[in-house]
Amino acid sequence: MGTQDLKAIPRRAQPGPVPLSAAQAQLCTLQHLDRRNPAWNRPLVIRLTGRLDIRGLEWSLTEIVRRHEILRTVFPEIGGEPVQIVRPVEPLHLAIKSLEYLPGSERRKGIAQVAVEETRPIFDLARGPLVRTVLLRLYEEEHVLVLLMHHIVFDEWSEGILLRELTALYEMFDGGKATSPLPELPIQYADFSIWEHKRLTDAALKTQLDYWRQRLHGLSPLRLPTDYPRTSTFTHQGASQSFMLPLSLVGELKDLSRQEQVTFFMTLLTALQVVLSRYTGQEDIAVGVPIAGRTQLETESLIGYFINLLVLRVALPRNINFREALSRVRDSALDAYGNQEVPFQTLVKELRPRGSANFSPLFRVMFELRNLPKAPIQQFKQLRMEIVPFSPDAIGALDLVVEVLEKENGLCCTCRYAAELFRPGTIKSITENFRTVLQRIIDNPHQRLSDLPLDTEADRQQRKLDWQDAKRELFDATCSSQCFEARVERIAEAAAEVTKVKTDLEEKITQIWRDVLGLDEVGVSDNFFELGGHSLLMVQIHNKISDLLGKEYPVIDLCSYPTIGSLADYLTRQHHG
């Protein structure tokens, strides 16, 4: 069957087991690898203010589940392979939890607590159901509806569809004699899955696959230095930090984007990739980017999981400036968009990259500019309906996920991270460096990447204060000049011994310190931080030592041994241990 015949998605001829879409197959594999991981639970929290008709709400939700077969689909295995099976429609009954027993000031805090608790349970993909509901009662005329779906049946685009249909259906409900005002859907998700399987054999898709084979050939994953070692028992426990970029800076970044003929997304992505390059010491940077994956018109009105992942790879040598980096990222992104129909799962199978099942095989950092239209506040029948932002911290098989969302008062940047790999202070440094780069490129987009400062003024002032404290300790005001001269003499006598390089490893570490710190002489007992070192320079030390010894060491361990002598002893013990 040729490409021309596959342009429209036909309805399947008869019900029965259907193969998973490529996106679903990837999620199903990840869920089976770690059945206890809630990272693929998708919560949707809706505040309902006013007089609520619970029967009308239950009917409306039941009708949505009837309309969208994917919301009553389960994924058992047949012949060793998972398939989709659509279950019959069953009336949906809301579980109601009252928070009225809490003091008034505590009730809204209770929403977040209950929402977190409701997102933790693990779905059984084979048995279902994959949709759960609970209604929280705060006051007589204030409720919160918590919907929890597994990601395999629901994506971010689906949120808008669900809210629009819920609004239309609830408004039409009248004393239990409701008639749906919504037209029947042209296709169901299972129809899309069958169509996609046929599409994967199309010659046009093979051409796109050839592009990705060439584009990702020889790709090495980012070696983002971690505070804690990676383990085979990684549980994907996450945490998050957020900060706001002011509207004034957002406007300047958009102006720069227009001047350079790139999108706002490309400018933000370039800044992030520059930060990642500096942290890892690598010039070949690959970041994952999610896209809606709804390339066919029929899919735009369907609830389901259509997201595809693109790998945006770019070379960022340190001698180019930011404008040149922007141009490279633009070319990489446009090429990727032109070849976006290859499912990420197909790409992984074809390329067979090395890596642990606990981590994404082609990238470890993902970037997302969340620019879907904000669901409007609905007001009808004495009821106000609005989505409450809520995102759990579970992170899946990634190190970092950077999400950016435009708001009325600026740009909200959230960094979700693997808490088993990073300390909060490390992530704070990364986010501050990201913010600093965004400001610096406005000041001077022609600056070479190697000269682009990542430190904030606060960082520099803190190092200055630390150095002043160290000097005060060394030159105690109570010491007389004679005492000081005697002390200097004793230090001088010992210096020849303590600064001597005693082992080959110490010699190699000494050379690394000289290169990174830009110093001609470094003694084995000199303190890295007293010589002007800081966290970003320690990351460079980490990368060079890892290359030298062919083994990864947690950055926090290297920071614990701030002299060449103590660091060499630590590395020797680790090697022989």
Side-chain angles (χ1 to χ4, degrees):
M1 188 176 289
T3 307
Q4 200 67 23
D5 298 321
L6 288 168
K7 281 189 174 181
I9 301 178
R11 295 194 73 119
R12 61 194 188 281
Q14 57 187 8
V18 171
L20 274 61
S21 69
Q24 287 179 326
Q26 181 189 9
L27 278 184
C28 195
T29 299
L30 291 171
Q31 185 73 78
H32 281 298
L33 286 172
D34 187 358
R35 297 178 186 272
R36 299 168 301 169
N37 186 5
W40 297 281
N41 290 355
R42 288 288 306 192
L44 181 60
V45 182
I46 303 174
R47 186 187 302 278
L48 305 166
T49 307
R51 185 174 300 173
L52 175 64
D53 186 332
I54 293 178
R55 288 181 58 207
L57 183 59
E58 289 177 332
W59 177 84
S60 302
L61 291 170
T62 300
E63 176 62 13
I64 291 173
V65 173
R66 183 200 69 79
R67 286 172 48 78
H68 296 272
E69 292 180 355
I70 190 64
L71 295 178
R72 46 193 168 93
T73 296
V74 292
F75 301 85
E77 289 189 0
I78 297 180
E81 292 292 330
V83 295
Q84 300 183 63
I85 294 181
V86 180
R87 283 186 162 183
V89 183
E90 294 182 2
L92 188 148
H93 299 289
L94 290 168
I96 301 176
K97 291 186 178 181
S98 176
L99 300 182
E100 292 175 296
Y101 67 92
L102 293 174
S105 60
E106 297 294 321
R107 292 182 190 180
R108 284 178 174 79
K109 294 180 183 178
I111 297 174
Q113 182 178 349
V114 173
V116 169
E117 291 173 355
E118 291 296 326
T119 59
R120 286 175 180 164
I122 305 303
F123 286 104
D124 185 338
L125 296 183
R127 296 182 180 181
L130 302 184
V131 178
R132 294 175 183 151
T133 60
V134 62
L135 184 66
L136 307 181
R137 180 183 172 96
L138 280 71
Y139 299 92
E140 183 179 352
E141 294 194 354
E142 185 171 354
H143 298 76
V144 171
L145 175 64
V146 179
L147 299 170
L148 182 65
M149 286 74 61
H150 193 284
H151 212 357
I152 203 169
V153 301
F154 199 85
D155 58 16
E156 186 178 0
W157 184 295
S158 301
E159 290 184 7
I161 298 173
L162 189 146
L163 191 65
R164 287 194 299 272
E165 294 195 359
L166 181 60
T167 300
L169 291 166
Y170 183 86
E171 194 169 20
M172 286 295 295
F173 182 83
D174 183 14
K177 299 179 180 179
T179 302
S180 174
L182 302 173
E184 287 300 313
L185 296 167
I187 63 169
Q188 293 290 337
Y189 190 93
D191 303 323
F192 163 78
S193 297
I194 294 172
W195 173 85
E196 184 190 53
H197 275 264
K198 295 177 181 179
R199 178 81 172 106
L200 291 177
T201 64
D202 190 49
L205 210 62
K206 291 181 179 178
T207 301
Q208 292 192 22
L209 188 55
D210 288 340
Y211 161 81
W212 286 111
R213 286 195 189 101
Q214 180 179 358
R215 180 64 182 165
L216 301 181
H217 177 71
L219 175 65
S220 297
L222 279 181
R223 295 177 303 161
L224 197 60
T226 61
D227 296 317
Y228 309 110
R230 299 178 187 273
T231 67
S232 58
T233 57
F234 192 67
T235 63
H236 311 280
Q237 180 182 355
S240 64
Q241 294 184 26
S242 299
F243 66 92
M244 291 293 298
L245 292 179
L247 281 174
S248 56
L249 178 57
V250 173
E252 292 174 319
L253 289 169
K254 289 184 175 181
D255 288 342
L256 175 65
S257 302
R258 284 189 287 269
Q259 293 168 13
E260 299 301 323
Q261 298 183 331
V262 300
T263 64
F264 185 42
F265 164 82
M266 294 174 187
T267 299
L268 296 173
L269 175 61
T270 305
L272 177 63
Q273 290 183 304
V274 167
V275 172
L276 294 173
S277 177
R278 294 285 286 275
Y279 264 83
T280 61
Q282 296 171 250
E283 296 182 351
D284 185 6
I285 307 297
V287 171
V289 174
I291 57 171
R294 296 171 183 258
T295 57
Q296 300 297 115
L297 182 63
E298 300 97 317
T299 64
E300 293 184 1
S301 58
L302 283 183
I303 288 175
Y305 181 68
F306 293 88
I307 292 175
N308 196 15
L309 297 172
L310 300 181
V311 185
L312 298 191
R313 181 185 189 183
V314 65
L316 295 177
R318 293 169 62 83
N319 62 346
I320 67 171
N321 62 37
F322 189 82
R323 293 182 69 247
E324 293 172 298
L326 261 181
S327 176
R328 294 183 180 212
V329 171
R330 176 189 59 205
D331 293 344
S332 174
L334 292 178
D335 286 346
Y337 296 154
N339 295 276
Q340 65 173 283
E341 292 184 62
V342 178
F344 183 73
Q345 178 75 352
T346 301
L347 199 57
V348 171
K349 287 183 178 179
E350 287 288 330
L351 299 180
R352 297 181 180 178
R354 294 180 181 179
S356 165
N358 283 321
F359 299 97
S360 177
L362 292 174
F363 57 85
R364 290 179 178 171
V365 177
M366 189 160 71
F367 177 73
E368 180 179 8
L369 175 60
R370 304 181 66 179
N371 56 2
L372 288 176
K374 181 180 178 182
I377 296 173
Q378 306 293 338
Q379 181 78 46
F380 52 89
K381 273 199 173 184
Q382 300 180 329
L383 185 70
R384 174 187 173 96
M385 184 183 299
E386 61 180 315
I387 289 182
V388 179
F390 176 78
S391 179
D393 287 330
I395 194 167
L398 298 168
D399 291 359
L400 296 175
V401 178
V402 179
E403 298 174 346
V404 225
L405 176 65
E406 285 199 66
K407 294 189 173 183
E408 294 178 356
N409 59 336
L411 198 70
C412 179
C413 303
T414 299
C415 182
R416 293 192 289 119
Y417 62 95
E420 293 168 88
L421 297 179
F422 302 102
R423 287 189 169 192
T426 300
I427 300 304
K428 183 178 180 181
S429 294
I430 292 175
T431 57
E432 288 179 348
N433 294 153
F434 181 45
R435 176 163 36 188
T436 300
V437 168
L438 291 173
Q439 181 59 64
R440 298 297 183 188
I441 61 176
I442 295 299
D443 299 336
N444 183 8
H446 301 279
Q447 195 166 22
R448 285 171 45 164
L449 300 186
S450 58
D451 299 329
L452 196 61
L454 300 191
D455 288 349
T456 64
E457 182 61 30
D459 291 334
R460 288 189 288 273
Q461 289 297 327
Q462 186 60 50
R463 286 201 303 275
K464 183 178 179 180
L465 291 173
D466 292 343
W467 178 239
Q468 289 172 347
D469 290 342
K471 286 195 296 182
R472 277 195 295 269
E473 292 177 9
L474 181 61
F475 303 107
D476 195 302
T478 62
C479 186
S480 65
S481 60
Q482 292 86 356
C483 175
F484 174 70
E485 290 171 2
R487 187 176 179 183
V488 169
E489 185 176 349
R490 289 195 303 272
I491 292 174
E493 291 172 354
E497 179 64 24
V498 299
T499 61
K500 285 181 181 177
V501 174
K502 300 175 182 178
T503 68
D504 180 60
L505 180 57
E506 286 181 352
E507 175 61 44
K508 291 176 179 177
I509 296 174
T510 299
Q511 187 57 53
I512 290 174
W513 279 31
R514 288 172 182 163
D515 294 342
V516 171
L517 293 169
L519 299 176
D520 294 331
E521 294 297 332
V522 178
V524 294
S525 296
D526 289 342
N527 188 295
F528 175 79
F529 299 101
E530 291 179 2
L531 293 173
H534 52 80
S535 59
L536 189 55
L537 292 180
M538 181 55 81
V539 169
Q540 296 181 34
I541 297 286
H542 164 276
N543 292 332
K544 290 179 180 292
I545 287 178
S546 296
D547 288 340
L548 173 67
L549 301 180
K551 182 180 178 181
E552 292 282 339
Y553 299 91
V555 173
I556 192 171
D557 283 4
L558 303 193
C559 292
S560 300
Y561 300 95
T563 68
I564 291 172
S566 63
L567 181 56
D569 288 342
Y570 161 75
L571 295 172
T572 301
R573 291 196 306 272
Q574 291 294 308
H575 177 71
H576 294 294

